[in-house]
Amino acid sequence: MLSAYDNDILTQTGPGTPMGDLFRRFWIPVALAEELPEPDCPPIRLKVLSENLVAFRDTNGNVGLVDNFCPHRRASLFFGRNEECGLRCVYHGWKFDIDGNCVDMPSEPAESNFKDKVKITAYPTQEFGSVIWAYMGPADLKPELPQFEWARVPDSHRMVTRWTQDSNFMQAVEGEIDSAHINYLHSTFEKGQRATEAQFAGSKKGAPDLTIKETDYGFIYGARRDAGETGDASWWRVTQWLLPAYSLIANNSWPRGGHMYFPQDDEHISAFEYSYNPEAPLTQEQRSLGRSKFKIFPTTHTLPDGSITDTFRMEANPENDFLMDRTVQRERSFTGIEGIRHQDMAMTQSMGLISNREGEHLGTTDKAIITARRRLIQMAKDLQEGIEPVAATHGDLYKVRSIDFTAPQSDFTDFLEANGELAVATE
Ligand code: FES
Ligand SMILES: [Fe+2]
């Protein structure tokens, strides 16, 4: 469990909150580059860390990310004209460049210098790994981009998708570092077989032993299960949780990948999934399979405060119980819900928009979740005392890989020495 006070610290990321300040020390993935496909294309509405923003690609191809509300009389710049290196508000024609300067104010007399006194909030952006990133913190503390392998491979070797999840970001993050659920939530079985028997069939047994080694980027996390005919070997899933909200899924071959779960606000996540092959371009089949499994539709979404975001909704969502099929649940899969991602979302969204963690009873398999919470809360509190997060300014820390491995070793430290630390670092 977590006290209500600490749960608030953990889950609130709006302006001026401790966790909001911590997130604002990192680059934030805000959209796919393809959402702004060409210079002067239509702008998009985004909500990031509870701030309403508009992103646009200017005539030079650079991406601007500005306040949604025009500083004249607060009309939305989403309706603006994206023209000649600036976004022009259609209410009275004020125009802003990607740095937030007002470059034209046709409604004022020509001799007026009022436009030089008006700025709109604008955040720096970068494109990296098919994703648009923004930095929303103090200008003099601009960090480094996390040098993930997936973002550094050629575009042809990678695909990234984005969608909206209706919950606080931490529920989704916790799902990523919860190795124990894999044997249950994502399992299938034969008709007639008892579902719980299926979980323990074969060589890969149910309850994992978890070991965590904290690092500057977050932690590396080994889940060991007995393997082999006589249980004399160990099946390891070794993965990382990276500050503030990244995961890598343990997979040794295609699709390598993971997720980023960043708050639109405290009750909605902009979720990204990245998949890549470090050795070769993705095939057409891999690409189309990756896209079709989600059935994500571009749409708009009205948030509780009345603001609207341009976003991606899944066909399977909480309103239709993720298209759960009770017959399939009886006969073939633990959930009756198709697709691992939907199964995860059904669980992490079903906790409510912000989970009441006072009502939890955490067990031995929740060790990684406890560690991540403690680390984030501590870092948020430290930042209020002036202690800056190391990971934000050390992009190289993010050059790691996860691995899935069967080995004779059973001790995590031995395992890391023998395979882990070297195997998980990338050039
Ligand atoms: S509200 Fe934008 S120019 Fe007047
Ligand atoms: Fe899962």
Side-chain angles (χ1 to χ4, degrees):
M1 68 163 271
L2 201 63
S3 70
Y5 176 78
D6 275 348
N7 204 30
D8 285 350
I9 301 266
L10 184 67
T11 55
Q12 295 176 1
T13 57
T17 60
M19 195 61 71
D21 287 348
L22 182 66
F23 270 73
R24 283 169 177 79
R25 291 297 200 268
F26 292 84
W27 283 96
I28 309 282
V30 296
L32 301 176
E34 67 191 47
E35 293 176 57
L36 296 172
E38 59 195 18
D40 294 333
C41 64
I44 56 172
R45 284 171 285 217
L46 296 171
K47 195 160 195 188
V48 186
L49 304 178
S50 299
E51 297 185 39
N52 289 297
L53 305 169
V54 170
F56 65 103
R57 191 182 291 279
D58 76 3
T59 313
N60 296 330
N62 298 319
V63 173
L65 183 65
V66 296
D67 189 3
N68 171 70
F69 302 104
C70 174
H72 178 213
R73 296 250 312 284
R74 313 269 305 155
S76 171
L77 281 166
F78 166 74
F79 296 99
R81 302 175 61 86
N82 186 9
E83 55 184 28
E84 292 153 21
C85 280
L87 189 60
R88 190 185 291 282
C89 179
V90 290
Y91 206 0
H92 312 93
W94 293 19
K95 179 176 166 183
F96 303 92
D97 68 12
I98 59 168
D99 298 318
N101 302 306
C102 184
V103 291
D104 195 17
M105 195 180 271
S107 61
E108 290 293 308
E111 63 278 12
S112 162
N113 68 348
F114 188 34
K115 86 170 164 54
D116 301 330
K117 298 183 178 146
V118 175
K119 276 202 93 160
I120 190 168
T121 300
Y123 295 118
T125 67
Q126 291 198 59
E127 285 181 63
F128 180 53
S130 311
V131 170
I132 297 167
W133 304 70
Y135 174 61
M136 297 167 65
D140 56 333
L141 292 173
K142 200 150 90 176
E144 292 179 6
L145 280 165
Q147 294 298 310
F148 285 112
E149 184 178 46
W150 64 265
R152 288 179 295 116
V153 297
D155 287 355
S156 56
H157 292 41
R158 163 188 64 239
M159 61 180 294
V160 190
T161 47
R162 179 166 92 92
W163 69 90
T164 292
Q165 171 164 334
D166 299 341
S167 81
N168 184 260
F169 79 98
M170 197 57 192
Q171 284 152 231
V173 168
E174 290 174 356
E176 298 288 300
I177 50 177
D178 172 21
S179 198
H181 79 269
I182 293 161
N183 291 67
Y184 308 95
L185 184 70
H186 302 315
S187 64
T188 54
F189 51 91
E190 300 297 320
K191 191 173 174 180
Q193 186 182 23
R194 278 179 49 198
T196 43
E197 280 170 6
Q199 313 324 311
F200 303 101
S203 60
K204 295 178 176 179
K205 304 284 193 299
D209 308 324
L210 302 185
T211 317
I212 295 159
K213 185 181 168 207
E214 293 199 46
T215 63
D216 283 340
Y217 59 73
F219 57 70
I220 184 167
Y221 153 56
R224 192 198 71 80
R225 292 166 170 88
D226 289 336
E229 289 295 294
T230 54
D232 54 350
S234 298
W235 170 43
W236 285 96
R237 295 185 87 240
V238 180
T239 185
Q240 293 86 355
W241 168 69
L242 304 109
L243 293 160
Y246 302 106
S247 71
L248 297 176
I249 294 169
N251 235 1
N252 294 340
S253 54
W254 166 261
R256 284 185 179 281
H259 297 100
M260 319 193 261
Y261 292 114
F262 281 75
Q264 293 180 19
D265 59 20
D266 295 341
E267 300 179 342
H268 299 83
I269 305 167
S270 187
F272 295 79
E273 178 171 287
Y274 42 88
S275 312
Y276 72 106
N277 182 348
E279 274 95 41
L282 306 191
T283 63
Q284 259 329 312
E285 198 190 343
Q286 286 169 336
R287 263 178 207 287
S288 53
L289 223 111
R291 296 257 185 235
S292 65
K293 73 179 178 186
F294 286 124
K295 297 206 180 76
I296 303 170
F297 307 110
T299 179
T300 58
H301 185 45
T302 308
L303 297 167
D305 65 0
S307 62
I308 298 173
T309 59
D310 295 343
T311 186
F312 301 89
R313 312 290 298 174
M314 296 225 187
E315 182 189 37
N317 60 57
E319 282 78 46
N320 55 29
D321 294 325
F322 294 89
L323 303 173
M324 174 193 225
D325 183 328
R326 292 286 187 189
T327 306
V328 173
Q329 185 179 35
R330 245 189 331 271
E331 299 180 352
R332 282 194 287 114
S333 87
F334 215 60
T335 57
I337 294 170
E338 197 172 328
I340 288 177
R341 194 54 29 214
H342 295 146
Q343 292 161 3
D344 282 330
M345 288 172 71
M347 294 302 100
T348 57
Q349 293 197 47
S350 69
M351 297 165 182
L353 292 172
I354 302 178
S355 178
N356 173 7
R357 292 181 170 82
E358 280 188 304
E360 294 176 334
H361 297 79
L362 300 181
T364 50
T365 61
D366 298 310
K367 217 188 278 186
I369 290 164
I370 294 166
T371 306
R373 289 177 186 175
R374 177 179 47 71
R375 188 81 180 267
L376 276 175
I377 292 169
Q378 191 58 50
M379 287 177 70
K381 289 178 177 171
D382 284 352
L383 183 58
Q384 299 303 304
E385 303 297 318
I387 302 170
E388 294 291 327
V390 171
T393 48
H394 292 78
D396 278 359
L397 291 173
Y398 291 77
K399 291 182 172 179
V400 292
R401 270 186 188 176
S402 55
I403 42 175
D404 180 316
F405 209 75
T406 302
Q409 293 92 343
S410 60
D411 177 79
F412 188 59
T413 312
D414 290 351
F415 174 79
L416 278 184
E417 272 169 19
N419 309 288
E421 304 271 44
L422 293 176
V424 295
T426 71
E427 282 310 307

